[in-house]
Amino acid sequence: MSGQNNSQPPVAWRYSGDQMKRWRTKADVSREKLASAANYSPATIESMERGVRRPTSRVLDVADDLCGAQGMLSAAKEFLNRERFPARAQDFMEREKEATSLWTYENSLVPGLLQTRGYARALIDNRIPPLDEETVEERVTARMERQSILTARKPPVGLSFVLYEAVLRAPQVDAEQLHRLLEAAALRNVVLQVLPFERAIPAALLGSMVLLETRDHERFAFMEGQFASELSADPGVVSRVTERLSMIRTQALGPEESARFIERMVGSRE
């Protein structure tokens, strides 16, 4: 895999939506009737049937009942639940499950593995275009479940995080989120560093980066943008990301000094 941009909706979205439309048509159930029963707008139902929007558990269950599908539509929930992440991030999430080490640099947001539920909800709930409440809750829950990687794996996964100071200064970062960072930093398998404004180098301003290694010693670089993301196993890309991360880590404060930096910020947020 040299690189991948996920611009198409997941196949499970498109297939489930198409099946929902076929069952609805066969049962002579109008889109408006389904929309009313599931408490969605007809336009939202249409976007689900076209696979542009992820069919939710509620709409599948309602459609299954209205159309007499005898569980055929509800059965799609199992497959869609595997895709509770944005399409462009799904390949990375699958690799993350196999990771033995993760090395992350973030210059704008707290990494998902370190977010509180409140912080995660603030980000997901304010997405443009907006998501429906059920999808928001599913994505928040999925993000919280990912955090089991911090403590549940045996042997433990080695985790290294470098956060640019701008991440900590964002208004969404409250005292609870700062405490969460300190709790994670105290774990034996976690190294957390802060890169202060005055120590920033050009490489630190180019965006977030993740370097991941799996049990099979495969190495992947992941770079996420607003509209496209890339997961790459290309040795050249992995090498460049490794070099940038190494330079940033060298400039960042050490773990103990970083903890003190965060502790000084806690008082101003309480």
Side-chain angles (χ1 to χ4, degrees):
M1 183 191 305
S2 60
Q4 183 166 346
N5 286 318
N6 291 309
S7 56
Q8 291 292 322
V11 172
W13 292 20
R14 288 177 279 160
Y15 181 76
S16 299
D18 180 71
Q19 287 298 302
M20 188 166 67
K21 181 179 180 180
R22 289 174 183 271
W23 276 98
R24 182 179 60 74
T25 302
K26 180 180 178 181
D28 196 25
V29 174
S30 70
R31 184 174 291 138
E32 288 73 20
K33 183 176 181 179
L34 174 57
S36 177
N39 198 27
Y40 286 106
S41 70
T44 298
I45 298 298
E46 181 186 15
S47 66
M48 290 182 185
E49 291 181 342
R50 290 191 293 114
V52 175
R53 184 188 293 259
R54 177 182 175 276
T56 65
S57 297
R58 183 170 78 245
V59 80
L60 287 168
D61 285 339
V62 171
D64 194 283
D65 183 57
L66 281 178
C67 301
Q70 299 182 324
M72 298 294 287
L73 290 175
S74 292
K77 293 186 293 183
E78 177 184 350
F79 300 94
L80 290 166
N81 282 340
R82 300 173 188 174
E83 298 179 332
R84 293 180 295 175
F85 304 102
R88 66 178 188 272
Q90 286 172 21
D91 287 340
F92 173 74
M93 299 306 171
E94 288 301 312
R95 299 298 179 184
E96 187 180 75
K97 295 175 184 177
E98 308 168 3
T100 57
S101 69
L102 278 169
W103 189 2
T104 301
Y105 170 69
E106 267 289 354
N107 69 343
S108 58
L109 301 172
V110 174
L113 296 179
L114 303 179
Q115 292 176 7
T116 63
R117 179 173 285 272
Y119 181 94
R121 172 169 279 278
L123 296 182
I124 296 171
D125 203 19
N126 287 282
R127 182 181 180 274
I128 299 174
L131 301 170
D132 61 82
E133 178 60 27
E134 186 175 356
T135 300
V136 169
E137 189 56 38
E138 286 180 344
R139 289 194 178 180
V140 170
T141 298
R143 187 164 298 181
M144 295 300 101
E145 290 174 353
R146 280 178 58 210
Q147 296 182 2
S148 64
I149 192 175
L150 274 72
T151 56
R153 301 274 187 90
K154 295 186 183 302
V157 178
L159 300 163
S160 176
F161 301 94
V162 180
L163 307 183
Y164 188 40
E165 184 177 345
V167 172
L168 307 178
R169 300 290 181 188
Q172 295 87 358
V173 177
D174 57 13
E176 181 186 14
Q177 180 61 75
L178 293 174
H179 280 299
R180 173 62 180 144
L181 295 177
L182 292 172
E183 290 171 1
L187 297 173
R188 294 179 60 187
N189 59 314
V190 175
V191 175
L192 192 150
Q193 296 176 260
V194 174
L195 178 68
F197 288 133
E198 64 270 15
R199 293 195 178 195
I201 57 176
L205 307 177
L206 297 177
S208 62
M209 296 169 280
V210 181
L211 194 64
L212 179 153
E213 185 168 349
T214 70
R215 288 186 292 267
D216 297 326
H217 305 294
E218 293 179 294
R219 301 178 77 206
F220 295 89
F222 180 66
M223 291 140 293
E224 186 171 18
Q226 289 191 31
F227 303 107
S229 301
E230 181 184 17
L231 178 70
S232 178
D234 181 271
V237 174
V238 171
S239 178
R240 288 195 296 274
V241 170
T242 302
E243 184 178 1
R244 289 181 184 176
L245 286 171
S246 298
M247 293 171 62
I248 292 169
R249 192 175 193 179
T250 300
Q251 294 299 314
L253 302 176
E256 293 184 4
E257 194 174 356
S258 294
R260 290 193 293 270
F261 187 99
I262 296 172
E263 287 169 352
R264 289 195 293 271
M265 297 183 65
V266 171
S268 64
R269 304 297 174 92
E270 290 182 326

